[in-house]
Amino acid sequence: MDALRWGILSTADIARRKVVPGMRKARRCDIVAIASREPGRAESVAAELGIPRAHASYEALLADPEVDAVYIPLPNHLHAEWSIAAARAGKHVLCEKPLALTAGDAQRMVDVASAEGVTLMEAFMYRLHPAWQAVAELVASGEIGRLVSVQSWFSYFNDDATNIRNIREVGGGALFDIGCYSVNLSRLLFDAEPRHVSAALVRDPATGVDVLTSAILAFDSGIATFTCSTRAEDDQRVHIYGTTGRISIGIPFNIPPDRPTEVYVSAGGDPPVAPDTRGLTFEVADPYTVEAEHFAAAVLDGRPTPVPPGDAVANLRVIERIFEAAEAASA
């Protein structure tokens, strides 16, 4: 194949506004179909986005012989069901984060994809962006000495009780939606799994979802701390501290697709008054374009995905430990 032919399994807002526009710019990628279970919805979105075929059911899209791979932006509780169905239909799968609601379900997805000989990857688009690739290399190279701490914050405000992010049964809440990024980046930078987890959370009394969650992840060589919230001002930041320097990332997670990305590295000088700080500017790169290109290259060239599917299982194990620690602390 010269290009990977994509089907979009759902007309979810993230697919319409961000992922499909990003994928359309990706090399070796063609979006050929979209599906919805809502009558007429697939047709209208296909017309809006210029997608050739619309399917009135997810099953119909999975049966389409012209589709090689599917992108799944469904609500969290449907990720496992439809990723497994897609794999069994012989389709490669790029599934939104978190890969599932439990590590057990995620492992089943990995096992089925392996048995069917298809590629499966969790869609953490941020970590394939050139800025994050550079940050990971800087940390690994010792540019800031030995890594000792990662601090991150991710928040937005959403109190709409009808929004899926505020429905506990479908995997809503701050930790599943955005805290998973902080867990992921902490594991990425320390290149390890935490040996101890502490946490606290606040749940919405009406919906039961966590709306403010903080965690401490203790690794053998350092500590990661983070807070995520769905009831605070929109903000996101990451600070990475080493024994001889630090790194700050401008907009670390929802990286703008239409403007350069800034990373600041401080090492040497006279901190904290006058540290030697240099800014690194990365040219415009849509993270969804980069993600689609990496995935397509893995499939078309027969290589492993840049992020192995087992990483999603490990991330969910930590998320489960955070929930358990927070519940134990409030008991």
Side-chain angles (χ1 to χ4, degrees), residues 83-264:
S83 292
I84 289 173
R88 287 179 172 154
K91 312 300 184 186
H92 304 284
V93 179
L94 177 64
C95 181
E96 266 305 330
K97 52 74 196 167
L99 194 64
L101 292 186
T102 69
D105 280 347
Q107 187 61 58
R108 280 199 307 122
M109 297 161 72
V110 173
D111 292 343
V112 171
S114 177
E116 298 293 341
V118 299
T119 299
L120 169 67
M121 191 172 85
E122 185 177 34
F124 268 122
M125 77 299 184
Y126 82 96
R127 63 186 283 170
L128 299 177
H129 190 277
W132 267 105
Q133 297 277 292
V135 167
E137 290 172 6
L138 285 168
V139 172
S141 72
E143 178 78 12
I144 58 171
R146 179 176 61 83
L147 176 64
V148 295
S149 179
V150 178
Q151 300 177 347
S152 57
W153 170 280
F154 198 173
S155 63
Y156 64 86
F157 193 92
N158 180 350
D159 62 355
D160 177 3
T162 65
N163 187 283
I164 59 171
R165 291 171 179 80
N166 287 315
I167 301 175
R168 189 172 181 178
E169 295 73 22
V170 304
L175 183 55
F176 271 138
D177 191 38
I178 51 179
C180 60
Y181 284 91
S182 293
V183 174
N184 190 267
L185 75 90
S186 300
R187 296 175 46 256
L188 167 67
L189 295 175
F190 278 107
D191 192 24
E193 303 301 328
R195 57 177 173 75
H196 181 74
V197 172
S198 303
L201 60 78
V202 175
R203 291 194 181 276
D204 182 291
T207 65
V209 299
D210 64 302
V211 297
L212 179 66
T213 297
S214 294
I216 301 172
L217 310 180
F219 296 84
D220 285 340
S221 58
I223 294 174
T225 61
F226 75 86
T227 296
C228 58
S229 178
T230 56
R231 301 293 165 83
E233 180 188 26
D234 288 15
D235 192 23
Q236 49 189 268
R237 60 182 182 268
V238 173
H239 299 299
I240 303 164
Y241 291 88
T243 51
T244 59
R246 56 187 166 84
I247 300 172
S248 298
I249 303 158
I251 304 176
F253 305 121
N254 297 132
I255 302 171
D258 58 353
R259 66 191 69 183
T261 303
E262 303 289 340
V263 172
Y264 300 95

Side-chain angles (χ1 to χ4, degrees), residues 29-48:
C29 291
D30 289 333
I31 301 175
V32 300
I34 190 167
S36 175
R37 293 189 289 190
E38 184 180 334
R41 178 67 174 167
E43 289 81 358
S44 64
V45 174
E48 171 193 337

